[in-house]
Amino acid sequence: MESVKEMRQVLGDCIVDAMKKDSRVVLIDADLGKPNGTFSARAVFPGRCFDVGVAEQNMAAVAAGMAAYGQVPIINTFASFATRRICDQVAVSICYAGRNVKIIGTDPGIAAELNGGTHMAVEDIGVMRSIPNILIFEPCDTVELGKGFAAAMEYDGPVYMRMYRKKVEELHDESYVFGLLKADVLKEGKDVTLVCSGIMVAEAVRAGLMLEEAGVEAEIINIHTVKPVDEAALATSARKTGAMVTCENHNVLGGLRAAVAEVVTRRCPVPVIPVGIQNVNGEVGVLPYLLKRFQLTASDIMQAAMVAMEMKNDRACHCKN
Amino acid sequence: MDTAQIEYLEETARKIRGLTLRAIGSVGSGHVGGCMSIVELVTVLYFAAMNIDPSRPGMPGRDRLVLSKGHAGPTVYSALALKGYFPLSELETLNKPMTRLPSHCDMNKTPGIDMTAGSLGQGLSCAVGMALAARMNGGAEYIYAIIGDGESQEGQIWEAGMAAAHYRLDNLIVFMDYNKLQIDGTVDEVMTLMDPVEKWKAFGFHVLEVDGHDLSSIVRTIQLARNRKGKPVMIILHTIKGRGISFAEKAGVDSHSMKVSPEQVETAMKELGWDTLWNQ
């Protein structure tokens, strides 16, 4: 079912809630307050909302300076600018300096849609994940955004949150028990594991249903926090199913696939077939077109699952632990 | 400011200069030129201007210094040690394994350092963030930042400048160490700043100029800067790279990062009157 609100509206509400709850919280925009839904906070807390203009590097380091004073700054821009453009500011002024700054990057990967290839961060997780001392979170729906955002604000340290701005398929209800460092098994299965995040969770859920019709019991794991990744959940599932597919709106290099492979190659080697952007640049289009164009649909996931299971059957998997 | 105070600052500056060179000499190389050009400024800040308490490095309401040209860390460490933040002997650990005193300033390692800096251009933005936070929290403190002239080629310096003027941060006082030299040549040869005074005026700052090696002028200029309201202040500090250490001054452009031998340290100590300095 489609969400009632857009993700960005929920983001705006979450920020206002966080500012109400904790007087240390401040918001810094870089001229994307309106498109990202954070503008609404200015009416509620005018003295704690800042806009540095189109100057993302300054935004990141101003936030670090405010954090050195004990504030908890939220900085906000598109995913491409929040990561690759300000990589050094994030690495030095925020992460090396250990400042408690929350970085929001919207519309990662193909979610940038009509802004096109220049705005498509297909590498944002790879860039951020290799910086020490940062947590990376990606909600798949508004419920997870609400719960995850609150948890990210509670977390003492730098956080990068990548999220789609618009309406999404609502996969959770309010009964969802969220743990920031805990992966969610959305569906149990024994034949293959579909590991997914963000907008790809809905595709993976659809793929799970298609596989079920084909007699395959897929386990579905939502990795909302790709760093630090829930190693135990991945290793347990790898041992159980012996075959994995990663589903991500990101380059197949450096992101979720890499995080999963890093764990299973060490703890329980199994085939990991990547569904993601195959090391190519993005291009302009609407989401349904782009999902097909970059082979990120439920059917692509289903095919990858078949390949993973075939590999599992062809080669013995020597698991330890 | 009376003669005794000036004499005290002069002695302190000589001590900081000597301690800094000895620390760098103990490693064998370092950023001598840019460390020496800000000795007088750092002396005035720590011994005549800033409201700080070495026994309480985290004192609320203290003035802050962000050394945006973070490679001059050793000068600030010498001032901190002399001020009593840590023992003078610790200066000899500079850049050695497990030290609390790395080349570039690190707020998580060194008592008295309020911001990590080193990747040029970022520190001034951090200082802007601090000035915003200080004002938001109703603090009366000043945020000082030292940027380099070569560093001013970073675009982020001007992003930070725009924000400081936009938010009318009159609790922010910035110094540009205008020694006119950088790694690959003179600033004018490498990438001219044209007229930094006019540039900073155009960016909405009160701009003051001072001889960066004249202690009493620096004291007076900082007093002036604190009384300017409604705008951030940029103090252009006319300096000489390597100042006060003859082999470094002579090296000119090559003093940015240079080897330092024990013999050179010894000669420099004689020039500074090192022994008489500590026997008074």
Side-chain angles (χ1 to χ4, degrees):
Chain A
M1 197 176 72
E2 192 181 64
S3 59
V4 179
K5 285 184 172 181
E6 289 189 322
M7 292 283 272
R8 57 183 152 191
Q9 287 174 283
V10 176
L11 174 66
D13 296 345
C14 286
I15 289 174
V16 170
D17 283 348
M19 292 176 96
K20 279 183 184 156
K21 208 166 145 193
D22 185 346
S23 62
R24 299 173 306 158
V25 176
V26 295
L27 169 69
I28 313 177
D29 286 314
D31 201 36
L32 285 175
K34 287 178 183 171
N36 278 359
T38 55
F39 201 81
S40 52
R42 297 184 196 189
V44 191
F45 293 103
R48 287 159 60 191
C49 295
F50 304 90
D51 197 324
V52 295
V54 189
E56 296 82 9
Q57 303 178 87
N58 191 41
M59 172 175 70
V62 163
M66 294 183 96
Y69 242 86
Q71 315 303 137
V72 183
I74 300 165
I75 64 174
N76 166 50
T77 182
F78 288 152
S80 48
F81 311 140
T83 58
R84 63 190 187 207
R85 185 172 190 115
I86 61 170
C87 178
D88 191 43
Q89 284 75 14
V90 172
V92 177
S93 290
I94 297 176
C95 293
Y96 180 82
R99 296 301 92 202
N100 189 10
V101 176
K102 314 303 175 189
I103 305 163
I104 296 167
T106 62
D107 286 0
I110 60 166
E113 296 192 281
L114 297 183
N115 275 327
T118 56
H119 284 52
M120 283 179 184
V122 301
E123 67 291 272
D124 61 322
I125 296 178
V127 167
M128 299 300 248
R129 208 167 66 85
S130 50
I131 298 172
N133 191 24
I134 190 166
L135 182 143
I136 304 174
F137 167 68
E138 179 174 19
C140 67
D141 65 11
T142 67
V143 176
E144 190 166 56
L145 168 58
K147 291 179 187 273
F149 187 87
M153 293 306 294
E154 295 280 322
Y155 175 82
D156 184 18
V159 172
Y160 170 53
M161 184 175 89
R162 74 191 307 251
M163 56 167 272
Y164 185 45
R165 282 186 295 161
K166 298 175 188 162
K167 288 193 175 178
V168 288
E169 285 184 48
E170 208 68 89
L171 298 161
H172 297 94
D173 58 35
E174 281 303 324
S175 66
Y176 173 31
V177 180
F178 179 86
L180 187 60
L181 304 180
K182 201 184 139 296
D184 293 322
V185 179
L186 299 181
K187 175 181 172 299
E188 300 225 9
K190 62 174 177 45
D191 298 324
V192 62
T193 307
L194 310 179
V195 187
C196 49
S197 62
I199 62 168
M200 293 301 287
V201 178
E203 295 299 324
V205 168
R206 264 193 290 281
L209 294 172
M210 289 159 66
L211 284 162
E212 204 168 291
E213 278 175 23
V216 174
E217 289 180 38
E219 179 147 296
I220 304 177
I221 302 184
N222 172 20
I223 300 286
H224 50 68
T225 300
V226 69
K227 185 186 177 183
V229 78
D230 185 344
E231 293 203 8
L234 289 172
T236 303
S237 190
R239 270 195 294 277
K240 183 173 161 192
T241 67
M244 296 185 124
V245 175
T246 52
C247 320
E248 60 186 317
N249 169 29
H250 184 275
N251 196 340
V252 292
L253 307 180
L256 179 64
R257 177 234 195 154
V260 170
E262 285 157 17
V263 174
V264 298
T265 50
R266 186 162 44 80
R267 296 186 58 165
C268 178
V270 298
V272 177
I273 304 299
V275 171
I277 299 166
Q278 300 291 329
N279 202 25
V280 292
N281 288 312
E283 66 176 53
V284 75
V286 291
L287 208 49
Y289 162 76
L290 292 167
L291 284 167
K292 286 198 184 79
R293 170 76 182 84
F294 291 99
Q295 298 176 307
L296 303 173
T297 64
S299 347
D300 297 308
I301 297 170
M302 183 179 175
Q303 277 178 35
M306 293 304 189
V307 174
M309 285 187 295
E310 201 175 317
M311 284 180 73
K312 168 175 70 169
N313 296 333
D314 282 356
R315 302 170 61 185
C317 172
H318 303 287
C319 298
K320 59 174 185 174
N321 308 327
Chain B
M1 177 156 267
D2 62 34
T3 324
Q5 281 171 306
I6 289 296
E7 272 174 17
Y8 165 69
L9 288 180
E10 270 169 9
E11 260 175 40
T12 306
R14 271 201 290 156
K15 285 178 179 171
I16 290 176
R17 191 160 262 126
L19 289 168
T20 303
L21 188 74
R22 290 167 76 91
I24 292 173
S26 77
V27 195
S29 68
H31 295 102
V32 181
C35 278
M36 295 306 158
S37 55
I38 61 164
V39 165
E40 279 74 18
L41 170 63
V42 168
T43 303
V44 172
L45 284 173
Y46 281 93
F47 292 86
M50 286 169 69
N51 172 31
I52 46 173
D53 180 355
S55 68
R56 290 194 299 157
M59 178 178 77
R62 69 190 181 280
D63 291 337
R64 263 79 162 180
L65 170 67
V66 180
L67 185 65
S68 195
K69 47 167 280 182
H71 53 278
T75 306
V76 175
Y77 303 153
S78 299
L80 290 171
L82 208 50
K83 193 84 186 167
Y85 281 87
F86 44 82
L88 286 173
S89 57
E90 193 168 339
L91 292 171
E92 303 280 319
T93 70
L94 180 76
N95 287 347
K96 305 208 173 73
M98 306 303 288
T99 187
R100 296 196 294 177
L101 309 176
S103 253
H104 298 81
C105 293
D106 187 329
M107 65 188 292
N108 298 315
K109 289 196 161 74
T110 316
I113 293 292
D114 284 317
M115 192 64 222
T116 299
S119 181
L120 295 177
Q122 298 185 28
L124 185 54
S125 296
C126 297
V128 167
M130 288 176 156
L132 279 169
R135 189 167 69 187
M136 208 169 64
N137 296 324
E141 64 268 35
Y142 286 91
I143 312 298
Y144 297 97
I146 306 175
I147 63 171
D149 47 9
E151 181 184 13
S152 301
Q153 292 156 353
E154 289 282 4
Q156 189 177 351
I157 288 291
W158 304 96
E159 292 185 3
M162 265 191 288
H166 177 84
Y167 285 106
R168 301 181 184 283
L169 297 176
D170 53 14
N171 55 351
L172 175 69
I173 299 175
V174 187
F175 303 89
M176 182 177 90
D177 175 17
Y178 198 17
N179 58 42
K180 300 157 193 85
L181 300 178
Q182 58 186 114
I183 296 174
D184 281 349
T186 67
V187 172
D188 278 340
E189 282 166 355
V190 176
M191 182 52 63
T192 181
L193 297 176
M194 306 297 280
D195 183 347
V197 173
E198 288 306 315
K199 272 207 167 93
W200 283 107
K201 277 184 187 165
F203 266 72
F205 278 60
H206 283 299
V207 183
L208 301 166
E209 288 182 83
V210 67
D211 174 347
H213 301 302
D214 180 341
L215 290 157
S216 54
S217 297
I218 298 172
V219 171
R220 273 199 308 277
T221 309
I222 291 176
Q223 278 164 353
L224 267 178
R226 292 170 119 168
N227 292 324
R228 297 286 172 97
K229 295 294 164 205
K231 288 180 178 185
V233 178
M234 170 62 70
I235 299 175
I236 307 284
L237 209 67
H238 292 278
T239 56
I240 293 162
K241 205 160 182 171
R243 169 75 174 199
I245 304 294
S246 57
F247 74 86
E249 271 194 57
K250 208 176 292 169
V253 158
D254 295 326
S255 74
H256 180 83
S257 177
M258 68 192 303
K259 288 198 167 134
V260 176
S261 69
E263 295 72 33
Q264 283 173 315
V265 174
E266 203 179 318
T267 311
M269 290 309 119
K270 277 182 194 145
E271 287 170 8
L272 288 169
W274 190 246
D275 291 335
T276 54
L277 196 55
W278 295 91
N279 293 334
Q280 281 166 6

